[in-house]
Amino acid sequence: MPAVGGIGPADGKAYPGNLTPFVLVTCMVAAMGGLIFGYDIGISGGVTAMPSFLKRFFPSVYKKQQENSTTNEYCQYDSESLTLFTSSLYLAALASSVVASTVTRRFGRRLSMLFGGLLFCVGALINGFAQAIWMLILGRILLGFGVGFANQSVPLFLSEMAPYKYRGALNIGFQLSITVGILVANILNYFFAKIKGGWGWRLSLGGAVFPALIIIIGGLVLTETPNSMIERGQLHEAREKLKRIRGVENVDEEFNDLVAASEASKKVEHPWRNLLERKYRPHLSMAILIPFFQQLTGINVIMFYAPVLFNSIGFGSNASLMSAVITGLVNVLATWVSIYGVDKWGRRFLFLEGGAQMFICQLAVGTSIATKFGTSGNPGVLPQWYSIIVVLFICIYVSAFAWSWGPLGWLVPSEIFPLEIRSAAQSINVSVNMLFTFAIAQVFLSMLCHLKFGLFFFFAFFVVVMSIFVYIFVPETKGVPIEEMSIVWQRHWYWKRFLDEEDNSPNRGVEMGKKVVP
Ligand code: BGC
């Protein structure tokens, strides 16, 4: 696997060690963390397109849907409790990621993962056996807590375990597993919706138990990371563990650097307050704006509501679920493009190319919906070629996201923060992401009802804004070691004004588990 992310030791030293089976198993568990998140994203849209599910829990939505074609298609799914069902998870994830960061630091990554898996498992069971809306929402909240814990601990676990050469590739591997989770959910929805008797939604929601069990087993059998052991004072055990993980005896250099990194980060008393210092303005801006823009691409309108959306543009329930499977597949395949290209073509190229492609598709989808649905939302009978063209543009749009803002929205923030603010800045990044995921999930259906086809132009507008932002403000980080990232800001025409002289030393900023330059 190529090293993705352009990350290597600043001073050219290479720690000995291999990609051992031990590390591979670890990475597979980390990938399961992504599956949990992805499964959630994909599953709710599918079940809300199942008539039996709507009839039982959201009868008013069901009734609207059954009414004749004079009903406004834009508004048939506009129901607050329906959106609350989808979005409650992200609010819970936002709240729990703050708690989870303390658990992860004090008690280790493993326990945090185990805890996340357990919460997730209980949530899945409550959803699978749900008899009333409150059970559905309670279940989603527990799933959200699970996602918060898993998303906090798994990526940390992963980047601490991975040999530095593979960390970048593994970072996008996490995004890949999110997309696989979404796809699996879409496929299961497609088949479970066909079950006679209309109880397939129970299997879809309850199916989340399986990725949860994998995470629980992972949390039980996996070892703690050496970094976390050192952080909690278990120096001897940490050294032995490192030998086992790297598959070599000579781990002194890396071990000493880990200890030094831990010491240095302990000296930082107020990481949150530090973040407000002027010199961290570029980092703070990125930690907030990158996840904000990622969600303002409108991707989760497709990920959460693709079946609902396809239903609205005239597909039957079955064809809608099938189309969601197709977009899910495009999402997985296109992610490989970024794994391949992120280090060859750079982040900025992918951001800008993806932005242009998304913009064109959003205009095309908005215009096609405008011409057939107008403002009344009553299209009459839609020809099949029409729906196919819309799905095609949606697929081209999804592929653009999958090789640009999808992976880069996680990769770029993770590689630009210096150690002393890394955990604080990263939790801001995660929280902003969850907050806007929640917001989009919550308001989309009523935005569709009010903005109608204009919704697509709304997101197209933001894609233009974010592309201009990238063009002007986001420096290229390809091939730059994390330890030398300050050079990138120092050379930037705008951000350099926030760095004072001493901050411009290329050696400032250390990476997790790397040499510490005090
Ligand atoms: C985003 C999710 C999105 C997913 C789609 C992730 O990077 O954070 O919100 O649903 O990509 O693949």
Side-chain angles (χ1 to χ4, degrees):
M1 232 188 311
V4 175
I7 297 158
D11 47 9
K13 78 174 160 182
Y15 302 128
N18 316 307
L19 190 60
T20 55
F22 195 91
V23 165
L24 275 180
V25 172
T26 301
C27 296
M28 282 160 69
V29 172
M32 294 303 140
L35 282 186
I36 278 185
F37 185 38
Y39 190 85
D40 271 319
I41 293 170
I43 210 75
S44 51
V47 293
T48 49
M50 293 183 196
S52 56
F53 178 79
L54 286 178
K55 192 173 172 189
R56 181 173 186 131
F57 295 105
F58 304 95
S60 63
V61 181
Y62 177 75
K63 224 176 105 213
K64 254 198 243 175
Q65 226 188 18
Q66 298 303 307
E67 277 163 15
N68 61 36
S69 58
T70 51
T71 307
N72 182 344
E73 293 283 346
Y74 291 126
C75 299
Q76 61 169 329
Y77 286 98
D78 186 16
S79 150
E80 263 173 34
S81 49
L82 187 63
T83 40
L84 191 63
F85 164 69
T86 302
S87 60
S88 51
L89 187 150
Y90 300 93
L91 211 54
L94 165 69
S96 68
S97 68
V98 180
V99 183
S101 75
T102 313
V103 174
T104 310
R105 201 178 57 242
R106 293 238 179 101
F107 304 103
R109 288 66 171 129
R110 202 172 66 98
L111 208 75
S112 193
M113 222 187 279
L114 187 64
F115 200 52
L118 284 171
L119 288 169
F120 197 87
C121 197
V122 177
L125 287 174
I126 294 182
N127 268 350
F129 289 105
Q131 301 296 331
I133 292 196
W134 70 264
M135 286 179 80
L136 282 182
I137 297 196
L138 177 68
R140 293 283 289 174
I141 290 175
L142 288 174
L143 293 178
F145 286 150
V147 167
F149 271 86
N151 281 14
Q152 170 72 24
S153 52
V154 171
L156 257 192
F157 190 92
L158 195 139
S159 58
E160 290 177 348
M161 283 285 185
Y164 74 90
K165 281 184 275 184
Y166 301 100
R167 196 181 45 251
L170 291 172
N171 192 310
I172 297 191
F174 186 68
Q175 167 74 13
L176 184 69
S177 71
I178 295 176
T179 62
V180 170
I182 297 174
L183 177 65
V184 169
N186 288 339
I187 293 174
L188 292 182
N189 273 339
Y190 179 73
F191 287 108
F192 291 158
K194 291 178 193 282
I195 291 180
K196 299 243 163 9
W199 49 272
W201 60 268
R202 290 196 186 277
L203 295 181
S204 294
L205 295 180
V209 163
F210 292 99
L213 285 178
I214 297 174
I215 273 284
I216 293 175
I217 295 169
L220 287 174
V221 299
L222 282 179
T223 173
E224 195 47 85
T225 65
N227 314 51
S228 176
M229 290 174 149
I230 293 170
E231 202 170 26
R232 290 175 296 131
Q234 304 161 355
L235 293 185
H236 177 70
E237 294 89 330
R239 185 192 288 270
E240 294 308 306
K241 189 63 53 182
L242 194 60
K243 285 184 192 165
R244 199 170 149 218
I245 294 170
R246 298 286 176 251
V248 291
E249 278 299 306
N250 175 18
V251 292
D252 290 353
E253 196 175 15
E254 183 171 5
F255 179 76
N256 292 340
D257 287 350
L258 288 182
V259 174
S262 165
E263 297 292 313
S265 74
K266 272 184 196 151
K267 286 198 190 112
V268 178
E269 281 173 41
H270 305 290
W272 294 96
R273 205 189 295 161
N274 273 10
L275 212 57
L276 295 176
E277 284 173 24
R278 185 178 158 82
K279 63 182 175 187
Y280 297 126
R281 209 54 55 78
H283 311 88
L284 187 61
S285 310
M286 297 295 158
I288 295 172
L289 287 173
I290 290 182
F292 167 75
F293 282 140
Q294 191 206 47
Q295 290 307 312
L296 265 288
T297 56
I299 187 65
N300 280 326
V301 164
I302 307 297
M303 293 303 140
F304 294 146
Y305 297 116
V308 166
L309 194 72
F310 292 139
N311 214 318
S312 298
I313 60 170
F315 284 13
S317 176
N318 220 345
S320 302
L321 290 173
M322 192 59 205
S323 316
V325 171
I326 294 171
T327 50
L329 198 61
V330 168
N331 194 18
V332 173
L333 295 178
T335 305
W336 284 100
V337 174
S338 71
I339 293 183
Y340 174 80
V342 73
D343 256 350
K344 286 189 198 303
W345 312 316
R347 283 78 165 137
R348 278 171 58 85
F349 172 78
L350 286 175
F351 267 134
L352 295 173
E353 191 285 332
Q357 193 172 319
M358 283 192 281
F359 176 70
I360 294 169
C361 294
Q362 278 157 334
L363 288 192
V365 172
T367 311
S368 358
I369 293 186
T371 49
K372 286 283 178 192
F373 287 73
T375 47
S376 67
N378 184 0
V381 179
L382 288 166
Q384 207 189 7
W385 62 262
Y386 169 84
S387 307
I388 291 175
I389 297 249
V390 174
V391 171
L392 198 70
F393 274 113
I394 290 183
C395 286
I396 303 175
Y397 160 81
V398 167
S399 64
F401 176 86
W403 63 57
S404 62
W405 280 89
L408 299 181
W410 294 106
L411 174 63
V412 172
S414 83
E415 62 187 9
I416 59 170
F417 305 136
L419 179 70
E420 65 272 21
I421 55 158
R422 186 166 299 147
S423 66
Q426 183 64 11
S427 36
I428 291 195
N429 178 38
V430 174
S431 306
V432 173
N433 198 300
M434 290 297 154
L435 182 66
F436 285 94
T437 307
F438 162 78
I440 299 276
Q442 187 63 31
V443 301
F444 164 68
L445 291 177
S446 82
M447 272 171 91
L448 181 65
C449 182
H450 293 107
L451 290 181
K452 306 178 168 60
F453 57 84
L455 182 64
F456 295 92
F457 300 138
F458 170 85
F459 288 122
F461 166 76
F462 273 99
V463 169
V464 173
V465 174
M466 68 188 77
S467 298
I468 294 175
F469 168 77
V470 167
Y471 187 74
I472 300 180
F473 293 112
V474 178
E476 180 58 67
T477 48
K478 172 188 109 176
V480 182
I482 288 184
E483 297 88 337
E484 294 185 7
M485 203 53 81
S486 59
I487 293 179
V488 155
W489 306 111
Q490 184 192 334
R491 294 201 183 133
H492 192 273
W493 70 274
Y494 179 74
W495 297 119
K496 68 177 175 202
R497 72 193 65 186
F498 294 96
L499 308 177
D500 45 46
E501 279 304 304
E502 66 166 317
D503 293 314
N504 289 344
S505 129
N507 283 334
R508 218 191 117 269
V510 279
E511 195 210 341
M512 217 179 306
K514 287 283 160 56
K515 188 168 168 57
V516 173
V517 184

